[in-house]
Amino acid sequence: MATVNTKTGQAVDRTVLDSMLRRRMFYTPSFEIYGGVSGLYDFGPPGTALIANMTDLWRKHFVLEEDMLETSGHVDKFADWMCKDPKTGEIFRADHLVEEVLEARLKGDKQARGEKIEVDEEKEAKKKRKAKGTEAKKLDDALVKEYEETLAQIDNYGGPELEQLIKKHDIRNPVTGGEVLPPVSFNLMFQTSIGPSSNMPGYLRPETAQGQFLNFAKLLEFNQQSMPFASASIGKSFRNEISPRAGLLRVREFLMAEIEHYVDPEGGKKHSRFDEVKDTELALLDRNVQLSGSTNLTKMTVGKAVETGLVDNETLGYFLARIQSFLLKLGVDPAKLRFRQHMANEMAHYATDCWDAELQTSYGWIECVGCADRSAYDLTVHKDKTGAPLVVRQARAEPLRIEEYQIDLEKKKFGPRFKKDAKTVEAAIEALSQDLREKLSLDLEKDGKIEVDVEGVGSGKVEIEKDLIKIEKRTRVENVREYTPNVIEPSFGIGRILYSVIEHSYWSRAGDETRGVLSFPPAIAPTKVLLVPLSTHASFKPLTQRLTSKLRKAGVSNRVDDSSASIGKRYSRNDELGTPFGITVDFQSVQDNTFTLRDRDTTKQVRASEDEILQAVKSLVEGDETWEDIRKRLPEFTSQEIEA
Amino acid sequence: MATVNTKTGQAVDRTVLDSMLRRRMFYTPSFEIYGGVSGLYDFGPPGTALIANMTDLWRKHFVLEEDMLETSGHVDKFADWMCKDPKTGEIFRADHLVEEVLEARLKGDKQARGEKIEVDEEKEAKKKRKAKGTEAKKLDDALVKEYEETLAQIDNYGGPELEQLIKKHDIRNPVTGGEVLPPVSFNLMFQTSIGPSSNMPGYLRPETAQGQFLNFAKLLEFNQQSMPFASASIGKSFRNEISPRAGLLRVREFLMAEIEHYVDPEGGKKHSRFDEVKDTELALLDRNVQLSGSTNLTKMTVGKAVETGLVDNETLGYFLARIQSFLLKLGVDPAKLRFRQHMANEMAHYATDCWDAELQTSYGWIECVGCADRSAYDLTVHKDKTGAPLVVRQARAEPLRIEEYQIDLEKKKFGPRFKKDAKTVEAAIEALSQDLREKLSLDLEKDGKIEVDVEGVGSGKVEIEKDLIKIEKRTRVENVREYTPNVIEPSFGIGRILYSVIEHSYWSRAGDETRGVLSFPPAIAPTKVLLVPLSTHASFKPLTQRLTSKLRKAGVSNRVDDSSASIGKRYSRNDELGTPFGITVDFQSVQDNTFTLRDRDTTKQVRASEDEILQAVKSLVEGDETWEDIRKRLPEFTSQEIEA
């Protein structure tokens, strides 16, 4: 294990940190009271809030700030079994198909037996009876039982069982009555189009992204044909990881956030807001340095990196800078952040350039965000496979004038002359290159006829006289440009970022392991403010209730801790939960309505009136002021706080 | 189909609405360019934003406002296959187990062949070698190939295939080397504990909830043993629906939001904030009215409903009122909302009372939120099955003093006297009721001995002399009360609410179907403000850019439409998207920096300075002011807007 230090210089002890995270219920093994399921975790309240706050920040930083089009993904379906109706081309989930047909038959049976069908079911039954083979028809009692048992465990069947069921019960397309092909796993069905991006164990590129590509034409229309634009998606993915036994970091279930930014490949992939980020300094580990066996980082501005060609283009560079600013907002330690360029053999053949944002943790450097220029690959593959126009059509500012040799055929004579070969000969002529056309136009002028290679017709050479053909140089005007956009794809492994942020935020007071602190920035902290009455004295209750209700109205998440533990103990607990601020209610509060506000990281306190304290908290949480600002403008309070 | 009218009195034409929703990309069939997959949809940008805004509002309305503990759920796992190690009790996902063991063997093989193992893998390999049967060991080439092929399609195997693989490759618990039992589907493994709540096709109660119950003890600890409290969870569920062919409403994949509110069953399940809601009027369809064959609604305050016993208790009533206020915030039409009480035969035997919030749509009345008092059932079942202490232990304010007959045995003589039967006799004595003890104490005093029934010992009756036993009336003091909390469970089908809200928000201008409007409240509208420059004139660009950037900073989502379509067309498009406000940039804006602000629902406009307009927008979006407020305080602008 690499030794990694906290901000305050102690070595991170993962065992201690992990036990703290479980104790404070950031996460907890799933089904623990039933013995637990290896590798499955639930997030407890602070973990869930942390993830919700992180994805919220992601939405603000990327989707809102960059005006992206967010869509939903259909990840979870990729392990399903699908049946195709070869006639209509319709695709069914195999389990749903079996279920639908069997249910319809059972209802037909009820109908035939004269049993009451409930209101909802009746409507269904009517609809179903229109479908082939599902009319009101009595079934054998044994068959009814078999259907019912099958339905009860429909979720448990895999492909082979579903195939058997479809055969055994003659299950067909319920609308057309056509036979369906045997079930195929979803992944196989789309195999050629939905492949991993590279030859590495592909963590950072689950199949989610494909949903966005498939919807490209509609998204472009939604964006009113305007380029460039980006789509974004947050969703769960279930890619396999190497080991399910490494705690919170290596789980099977990922929350991924992905962006597909579509850009015109012409003109160097400039970005209109590149100027805003060009002076951002990045720690880069480029391909050549890695090849030389070194891991030395190069500090360089994004502007310089793009200028020197180290980073391929402005759009890619822009996103690297934006990824960095996002990670720093989350509380990532800048000293533990690097951008590593993919080696040539790590990248897919079509990728132009690819960088991973890696975060250093006690597990080593972990890739947390990938940022790849995938060229036009994905859209091209889907376009070729489906014929869907996944392209941008753009009116040219200046019409394009193209000088070219055009060929006119005298169709009336051409047909009778070549008879059954006419189409083949015509196709061969259409396919002639501009160079050949130029040569042939000269031949035609000189000899009054030309000779053209046509495979499969006569000797393979065909003679055409000048009364059948005309070849002329003309000017064609093109008003519309059609192109396949290139894709810059930043993709974020939220779970990995979460773990890294936790480690980067972790330290312990005075090097004492029992006094852990998680210094989350207020924006992502699960709870923003802890309200602590000095004791369980009844006079404090109305004050804490008023404060909590006012903070809630202001949208500031807060918790009251009115347990009988010492103030120090209660604050310690909340240091472990990463709560950045604390308000103490004491006897002076009851008298003059002033309160103390405590800062988690420094444990310093200020004291002021209720309004001032609430205003300060709001300002701190919304990032308008820092603790330093508050401390300068509000009177310090010297605490009698006893650290537990 | 029931005829349902829009707010403006036109009949809802579902075909027209549906085509508008698809055209505006609220949703779109998944994989459409590949022919689509029956019953699968992706949400496009407005649909995704709507869901995100709805869940955000849900979090604010319930989790933040009621200080609930939000946790993550593990829904997606319920279709998995699990293997149990009968010795250790450990449970593995069968596919993960096979994968882990085969991967470990392949690494052992690489090691044995002296091949380079990558850094990450090396660490793994070392770890794995500690496990039984995974040492560095060369494998047959054919076996390597077989393992690799198996791993490549591990996600496709069902239970029977996994069972075969486990047998064939002798796959065991990697840590202990113990054999594992054949794979069982997750649902079966937890069958007795995770059953549906009632005998209806159980839409509103997916298995998600169970995760919260399983974590009860930890959540209680997290809440510092303080009662009552609630946990909450948002997650996807894949419960089966009757028909996959009914468009957006009936999909297989649900977003569910669930609350488990734990309450002390003693004292009538009062709620401390009931006073805040007691005057809320609800439209109730109670059990008795339904039994009489009627669907007439009773309008009644929650206070009255609880007082008369129609709604079982305050906590249940409190949540009904809170559910209603949440739905109204989303834009639900109050005339199309009712609370229907479950009939006795719809409810599970243990449920105390259950009400569904139903919304009227063109599909009829749809249950969108369930709210059940499930008594102590779930916690009791899990407690009994696992022995985990899913209870609350509470110090009694007043110690409980219990007068009772206690029995002391003279152990030294008792053992020798009854020998191998001693334990059985002792247990029989321990089990004696207080009444019997009282009678026996009198016998003992009178006869110097007693006779006790002990099944399976001698004649079934045992005589015990007074030198062996003492029975005395004494006082026991109980300082701690232990109880299993009852659960009130509101559960929300977000997708169904989404669809209903769309239908309730839908109308068309002047009854013209081609001029559809979605009157979403600003809080959930996908985009809050449309920025419309009068034309593509260059002088407008800096102004729209400044406005969009200022709105973005203020957290107000907005879109610029600078296409060349007429203003009327552009507004029409955004009426269909439900964008509540529009700012027009015209030539006067360039001169004096004033802008017009348009209200979607009335199409009225006001004109004011940039700062005033931006402030008005913020105030409208945050709900501080209504359009009526704005119209009163800013000068009206009479528009030349040409409706498209």
Side-chain angles (χ1 to χ4, degrees):
Chain A
M1 195 201 302
T3 303
V4 171
N5 289 338
T6 64
K7 280 178 200 170
T8 43
Q10 303 117 33
V12 172
D13 185 331
R14 207 156 62 208
T15 320
V16 173
L17 171 58
D18 201 58
S19 109
M20 183 178 103
L21 293 176
R22 288 178 187 234
R23 186 171 64 247
R24 291 304 169 213
M25 220 184 164
F26 278 85
Y27 74 105
T28 187
S30 300
F31 311 104
E32 195 174 28
I33 65 170
Y34 281 93
V37 175
S38 181
L40 280 194
Y41 299 98
D42 293 333
F43 287 105
T48 305
L50 208 48
I51 292 173
N53 294 342
M54 276 175 60
T55 50
D56 193 47
L57 202 63
W58 188 86
R59 278 204 170 96
K60 284 198 185 114
H61 190 87
F62 290 106
V63 180
L64 183 64
E65 177 65 27
E66 313 267 357
D67 206 8
M68 295 171 172
L69 304 179
E70 189 177 349
T71 67
S72 72
H74 258 287
V75 216
D76 339 76
K77 300 300 174 184
F78 282 83
D80 289 333
W81 294 90
M82 299 288 168
C83 282
K84 195 169 186 162
D85 178 335
K87 289 237 178 72
T88 63
E90 214 176 344
I91 296 168
F92 301 89
R93 272 188 59 175
D95 53 344
H96 293 178
L97 179 66
V98 171
E99 196 178 9
E100 184 178 351
V101 171
L102 294 191
E103 273 176 354
R105 289 186 192 163
L106 284 174
K107 277 168 201 154
D109 172 65
K110 265 194 183 178
Q111 199 82 354
R113 287 172 193 249
E115 282 174 28
K116 192 181 158 290
I117 294 185
E118 279 161 54
V119 188
D120 249 33
E121 292 185 359
E122 200 167 342
K123 259 186 283 168
E124 286 303 315
K126 267 187 210 149
K127 252 189 285 166
K128 294 278 169 59
R129 275 197 305 279
K130 287 186 201 149
K132 296 247 163 87
T134 50
E135 64 279 14
K137 187 180 155 186
K138 192 168 176 307
L139 307 172
D140 257 15
D141 285 359
L143 196 59
V144 168
K145 190 154 176 270
E146 190 179 347
Y147 283 6
E148 279 168 351
E149 279 169 359
T150 303
L151 286 172
Q153 40 181 326
I154 190 77
D155 290 340
N156 301 335
Y157 295 121
E161 292 101 326
L162 289 167
E163 185 175 351
Q164 278 187 335
L165 287 170
I166 288 170
K167 245 187 241 160
K168 183 169 180 194
H169 300 306
D170 189 30
I171 283 165
R172 293 153 177 264
N173 182 331
V175 173
T176 66
E179 278 187 46
V180 297
L181 298 177
V184 175
S185 92
F186 197 99
N187 284 317
L188 284 177
M189 187 165 266
F190 292 79
Q191 195 174 34
T192 49
S193 52
I194 306 176
S197 66
S198 77
N199 48 5
M200 291 293 282
Y203 164 68
L204 279 173
R205 181 131 219 290
E207 297 86 347
T208 5
Q210 300 304 325
Q212 297 183 56
F213 296 130
L214 299 188
N215 284 326
F216 172 76
K218 284 185 200 165
L219 290 168
L220 179 64
E221 196 198 320
F222 186 86
N223 208 46
Q224 300 179 283
Q225 310 295 332
S226 169
M227 285 281 295
F229 78 96
S231 59
S233 179
I234 301 183
K236 281 196 177 167
S237 176
F238 301 93
R239 256 302 171 72
N240 287 328
E241 269 268 305
I242 301 160
S243 158
R245 288 177 168 276
L248 193 56
L249 187 60
R250 295 181 176 238
V251 290
R252 299 278 181 160
E253 196 182 298
F254 307 105
L255 191 62
M256 297 289 305
E258 294 182 307
I259 294 164
E260 309 296 339
H261 179 92
Y262 302 100
V263 61
D264 188 340
E266 271 186 22
K269 304 183 189 175
K270 300 269 184 222
H271 194 288
S272 64
R273 295 175 71 175
F274 188 69
D275 261 10
E276 297 174 26
V277 304
K278 70 176 196 304
D279 296 328
T280 306
E281 199 174 67
L282 306 178
L284 302 173
L285 176 56
D286 70 59
R287 197 176 283 157
N288 294 325
V289 170
Q290 293 172 66
L291 267 181
S292 76
S294 161
T295 55
N296 288 340
L297 300 182
T298 312
K299 301 256 176 152
M300 194 185 283
T301 64
V302 184
K304 190 80 186 285
V306 171
E307 200 186 301
T308 58
L310 189 59
V311 168
D312 186 76
N313 59 69
E314 275 192 4
T315 301
L316 192 62
Y318 177 76
F319 278 106
L320 294 184
R322 293 282 297 154
I323 289 166
Q324 171 162 301
S325 60
F326 172 66
L327 293 173
L328 297 181
K329 270 187 196 169
L330 295 180
V332 157
D333 181 348
K336 295 176 182 167
L337 163 62
R338 74 181 182 192
F339 287 90
R340 190 182 70 78
Q341 190 173 33
H342 275 205
M343 309 298 290
N345 66 354
E346 277 178 89
M347 277 199 321
H349 63 92
Y350 47 79
T352 309
D353 195 4
C354 182
W355 293 80
D356 281 345
E358 297 188 331
L359 299 177
Q360 193 182 23
T361 73
S362 60
Y363 288 98
W365 286 93
I366 297 168
E367 63 270 29
C368 289
V369 188
C371 192
D373 181 336
R374 297 177 52 80
S375 76
Y377 179 74
D378 307 274
L379 291 177
T380 307
V381 168
H382 289 299
K383 184 180 65 179
D384 291 350
K385 218 170 135 62
T386 64
L390 305 181
V391 293
V392 175
R393 292 169 55 84
Q394 192 183 48
R396 291 185 186 276
E398 288 283 300
L400 189 67
R401 306 178 75 85
I402 304 158
E403 298 265 296
E404 62 180 17
Y405 286 89
Q406 294 182 354
I407 296 179
D408 301 324
L409 298 178
E410 190 60 50
K411 291 279 170 84
K412 263 185 250 164
K413 296 183 183 171
F414 197 81
R417 164 87 169 73
F418 291 106
K419 301 205 176 77
K420 67 171 175 47
D421 295 329
K423 275 218 153 18
T424 318
V425 177
E426 195 180 331
I429 291 169
E430 281 299 324
L432 292 169
S433 72
Q434 284 294 319
D435 284 352
L436 259 177
R437 288 173 184 217
E438 183 172 5
K439 181 189 161 296
L440 291 174
S441 76
L442 298 174
D443 291 354
L444 194 62
E445 205 168 315
K446 203 173 63 181
D447 309 331
K449 62 176 185 185
I450 57 170
E451 209 179 56
V452 179
D453 292 340
V454 186
E455 209 177 317
V457 175
S459 64
K461 288 206 183 296
V462 167
E463 208 164 75
I464 308 171
E465 294 78 25
K466 75 168 175 190
D467 60 330
L468 290 179
I469 195 167
K470 200 187 285 178
I471 306 180
E472 276 183 6
K473 190 167 192 174
R474 295 183 201 138
T475 302
R476 182 165 58 85
V477 180
E478 217 177 75
N479 290 302
V480 170
R481 180 180 155 233
E482 195 177 282
Y483 68 90
T484 305
N486 280 18
V487 166
I488 312 290
E489 181 184 85
S491 71
F492 301 72
I494 299 289
R496 290 180 162 212
I497 297 173
L498 173 80
Y499 179 79
S500 307
V501 163
I502 288 174
E503 247 200 35
H504 289 196
S505 304
Y506 172 65
W507 56 287
S508 48
R509 290 206 198 279
D512 177 353
E513 275 184 355
T514 62
R515 297 173 62 198
V517 184
L518 288 171
S519 284
F520 297 130
I524 66 160
T527 303
K528 315 301 182 196
V529 187
L530 176 73
L531 300 175
V532 206
L534 189 67
S535 72
T536 53
H537 197 277
S539 63
F540 299 143
K541 196 140 194 176
L543 278 72
T544 48
Q545 271 181 345
R546 197 172 63 226
L547 288 175
T548 189
S549 141
K550 282 190 178 178
L551 285 168
R552 231 188 270 143
K553 278 223 176 71
V556 177
S557 79
N558 65 91
R559 302 269 301 164
V560 177
D561 185 346
D562 52 8
S563 70
S564 57
S566 75
I567 291 250
K569 270 227 174 70
R570 284 182 277 169
Y571 273 130
S572 283
R573 179 172 185 271
N574 278 273
D575 286 346
E576 294 192 344
L577 286 165
T579 309
F581 308 109
I583 298 178
T584 315
V585 178
D586 56 20
F587 287 108
Q588 196 183 329
S589 311
V590 179
Q591 282 170 0
D592 65 5
N593 208 32
T594 64
F595 300 88
T596 69
L597 177 64
R598 174 198 188 253
D599 173 55
R600 171 197 60 206
D601 294 349
T602 60
T603 71
K604 297 284 185 213
Q605 301 189 58
V606 294
R607 179 158 206 128
S609 72
E610 176 176 335
D611 286 349
E612 283 173 308
I613 291 293
L614 291 177
Q615 188 281 326
V617 164
K618 200 161 187 298
S619 170
L620 284 163
V621 167
E622 291 177 357
D624 296 334
E625 286 182 290
T626 65
W627 175 253
E628 271 315 297
D629 298 331
I630 299 296
R631 209 160 76 104
K632 268 177 208 148
R633 66 178 183 78
L634 293 183
E636 190 174 347
F637 176 74
T638 314
S639 152
Q640 300 89 21
E641 182 181 321
I642 299 132
E643 297 290 347
Chain B
M1 194 200 301
T3 304
V4 171
N5 290 337
T6 64
K7 280 180 203 170
T8 46
Q10 304 116 34
V12 171
D13 185 332
R14 207 158 61 209
T15 319
V16 173
L17 172 59
D18 201 59
S19 112
M20 182 180 105
L21 293 176
R22 287 177 187 233
R23 187 171 64 249
R24 292 301 170 215
M25 218 181 166
F26 277 85
Y27 75 105
T28 188
S30 301
F31 311 105
E32 194 174 28
I33 66 171
Y34 282 92
V37 175
S38 181
L40 280 194
Y41 299 97
D42 293 334
F43 287 104
T48 307
L50 208 48
I51 293 173
N53 295 343
M54 276 174 58
T55 49
D56 195 46
L57 202 62
W58 189 86
R59 279 206 169 93
K60 283 196 186 116
H61 189 87
F62 290 105
V63 180
L64 184 62
E65 176 65 27
E66 312 267 355
D67 207 8
M68 295 172 171
L69 304 178
E70 189 180 349
T71 67
S72 71
H74 259 287
V75 216
D76 338 79
K77 300 298 174 186
F78 281 81
D80 290 333
W81 294 89
M82 300 287 168
C83 282
K84 193 165 185 166
D85 178 335
K87 290 240 178 68
T88 64
E90 213 176 345
I91 296 169
F92 301 89
R93 272 188 58 177
D95 54 343
H96 293 178
L97 178 66
V98 171
E99 196 178 9
E100 183 178 351
V101 171
L102 294 191
E103 272 176 354
R105 288 186 194 162
L106 284 174
K107 276 168 200 154
D109 171 66
K110 265 193 182 178
Q111 199 82 353
R113 287 169 194 252
E115 281 174 30
K116 191 180 158 289
I117 293 184
E118 279 161 54
V119 187
D120 249 31
E121 294 186 357
E122 200 166 344
K123 258 185 282 167
E124 286 304 315
K126 267 186 211 150
K127 251 190 286 166
K128 295 278 170 60
R129 275 197 304 279
K130 286 185 203 151
K132 295 247 163 85
T134 51
E135 65 279 13
K137 184 179 159 189
K138 193 169 174 308
L139 307 172
D140 257 14
D141 286 358
L143 196 59
V144 168
K145 191 152 174 277
E146 190 180 344
Y147 282 7
E148 281 168 351
E149 280 168 0
T150 303
L151 287 172
Q153 40 180 325
I154 190 79
D155 289 340
N156 301 335
Y157 295 122
E161 293 101 323
L162 289 166
E163 183 174 355
Q164 279 187 334
L165 287 169
I166 288 170
K167 243 185 239 160
K168 183 171 181 191
H169 300 306
D170 189 30
I171 283 165
R172 292 155 176 263
N173 182 332
V175 172
T176 65
E179 278 186 48
V180 297
L181 298 177
V184 175
S185 93
F186 197 98
N187 285 317
L188 284 178
M189 187 165 263
F190 291 82
Q191 197 175 33
T192 48
S193 51
I194 305 175
S197 65
S198 77
N199 47 5
M200 292 292 283
Y203 164 70
L204 279 173
R205 183 135 217 288
E207 298 85 347
T208 4
Q210 300 304 325
Q212 298 182 54
F213 297 128
L214 300 189
N215 285 326
F216 172 78
K218 284 185 200 166
L219 290 168
L220 179 65
E221 196 197 322
F222 186 86
N223 207 45
Q224 300 178 284
Q225 309 295 334
S226 168
M227 284 285 290
F229 77 97
S231 60
S233 177
I234 301 183
K236 281 195 178 165
S237 175
F238 301 93
R239 253 303 169 77
N240 287 328
E241 270 269 305
I242 301 158
S243 159
R245 291 178 167 272
L248 193 57
L249 185 61
R250 293 180 176 241
V251 291
R252 298 279 182 161
E253 200 182 298
F254 307 104
L255 191 62
M256 296 291 303
E258 295 180 309
I259 294 165
E260 310 296 340
H261 180 92
Y262 302 100
V263 61
D264 188 338
E266 272 185 21
K269 303 182 190 177
K270 300 266 182 225
H271 194 288
S272 65
R273 295 175 71 177
F274 188 70
D275 261 7
E276 296 175 28
V277 303
K278 71 175 194 308
D279 296 328
T280 305
E281 198 174 69
L282 305 178
L284 301 173
L285 177 55
D286 70 59
R287 198 175 284 158
N288 294 325
V289 171
Q290 293 172 68
L291 267 181
S292 75
S294 161
T295 55
N296 288 340
L297 300 181
T298 313
K299 302 255 175 152
M300 196 187 279
T301 64
V302 184
K304 189 80 187 287
V306 172
E307 203 185 298
T308 58
L310 190 58
V311 168
D312 186 76
N313 58 70
E314 277 193 5
T315 301
L316 191 61
Y318 177 77
F319 278 106
L320 294 184
R322 294 283 297 154
I323 288 166
Q324 171 162 301
S325 60
F326 172 66
L327 293 173
L328 296 181
K329 270 188 196 170
L330 295 180
V332 157
D333 181 348
K336 296 177 181 165
L337 163 61
R338 74 180 183 194
F339 288 89
R340 189 182 71 78
Q341 190 173 31
H342 275 206
M343 309 298 289
N345 66 353
E346 279 178 89
M347 278 196 327
H349 63 92
Y350 47 79
T352 308
D353 194 4
C354 182
W355 294 79
D356 281 345
E358 298 189 329
L359 299 177
Q360 193 182 22
T361 72
S362 60
Y363 289 97
W365 286 93
I366 298 168
E367 64 268 33
C368 289
V369 187
C371 191
D373 180 335
R374 296 176 54 78
S375 75
Y377 180 74
D378 307 274
L379 291 177
T380 306
V381 168
H382 289 300
K383 184 181 67 179
D384 290 349
K385 218 171 135 62
T386 65
L390 306 181
V391 293
V392 175
R393 292 170 54 83
Q394 192 184 47
R396 292 184 185 275
E398 288 282 299
L400 189 69
R401 305 179 76 83
I402 303 159
E403 299 266 294
E404 61 179 19
Y405 285 89
Q406 294 183 350
I407 297 179
D408 301 323
L409 297 177
E410 189 61 49
K411 290 280 170 80
K412 263 185 246 162
K413 296 183 183 168
F414 196 83
R417 163 86 167 75
F418 292 105
K419 300 203 176 79
K420 69 174 172 49
D421 294 328
K423 274 217 152 24
T424 316
V425 177
E426 194 179 334
I429 292 170
E430 283 297 324
L432 291 170
S433 71
Q434 285 294 320
D435 284 353
L436 259 177
R437 288 176 186 214
E438 184 173 3
K439 177 189 164 292
L440 291 174
S441 76
L442 299 174
D443 291 352
L444 196 60
E445 207 167 311
K446 202 174 62 177
D447 310 330
K449 64 179 181 179
I450 56 172
E451 206 179 57
V452 179
D453 292 340
V454 186
E455 210 176 316
V457 174
S459 65
K461 290 206 180 290
V462 168
E463 208 164 78
I464 308 171
E465 295 76 28
K466 71 170 180 187
D467 60 329
L468 291 179
I469 193 165
K470 198 188 286 176
I471 307 179
E472 276 182 6
K473 192 167 192 175
R474 295 180 200 140
T475 302
R476 183 163 57 87
V477 180
E478 218 178 73
N479 290 301
V480 171
R481 180 181 154 229
E482 195 177 282
Y483 68 91
T484 304
N486 279 19
V487 165
I488 312 289
E489 179 184 85
S491 71
F492 300 73
I494 299 289
R496 291 180 162 212
I497 297 172
L498 172 80
Y499 178 79
S500 306
V501 163
I502 288 175
E503 250 200 32
H504 290 196
S505 303
Y506 171 64
W507 55 288
S508 48
R509 286 205 201 282
D512 177 355
E513 275 185 355
T514 62
R515 297 171 63 198
V517 184
L518 288 171
S519 284
F520 296 131
I524 66 158
T527 303
K528 314 301 182 199
V529 188
L530 175 74
L531 300 174
V532 205
L534 188 67
S535 71
T536 54
H537 197 279
S539 64
F540 299 144
K541 196 141 194 174
L543 277 71
T544 48
Q545 272 182 347
R546 197 173 65 225
L547 288 175
T548 189
S549 140
K550 281 190 178 176
L551 285 169
R552 230 188 271 141
K553 278 223 176 72
V556 177
S557 81
N558 65 91
R559 301 269 300 164
V560 176
D561 186 347
D562 53 8
S563 70
S564 56
S566 75
I567 292 248
K569 271 228 175 71
R570 284 181 277 167
Y571 273 130
S572 282
R573 178 172 186 273
N574 277 274
D575 287 346
E576 294 193 344
L577 285 165
T579 309
F581 308 108
I583 298 177
T584 316
V585 179
D586 55 21
F587 288 107
Q588 197 185 329
S589 310
V590 180
Q591 281 169 3
D592 65 5
N593 209 33
T594 65
F595 301 87
T596 69
L597 176 63
R598 176 199 187 253
D599 172 55
R600 172 197 58 205
D601 294 348
T602 60
T603 71
K604 298 281 183 215
Q605 302 188 57
V606 294
R607 180 157 205 128
S609 72
E610 176 175 336
D611 285 350
E612 283 172 309
I613 292 292
L614 290 177
Q615 188 279 325
V617 164
K618 201 161 185 300
S619 170
L620 284 164
V621 166
E622 291 178 356
D624 295 333
E625 285 181 290
T626 65
W627 175 254
E628 272 314 297
D629 298 331
I630 299 295
R631 210 160 75 103
K632 270 179 207 148
R633 66 178 182 78
L634 292 182
E636 189 173 351
F637 176 73
T638 313
S639 152
Q640 300 87 23
E641 181 181 320
I642 300 135
E643 297 289 347

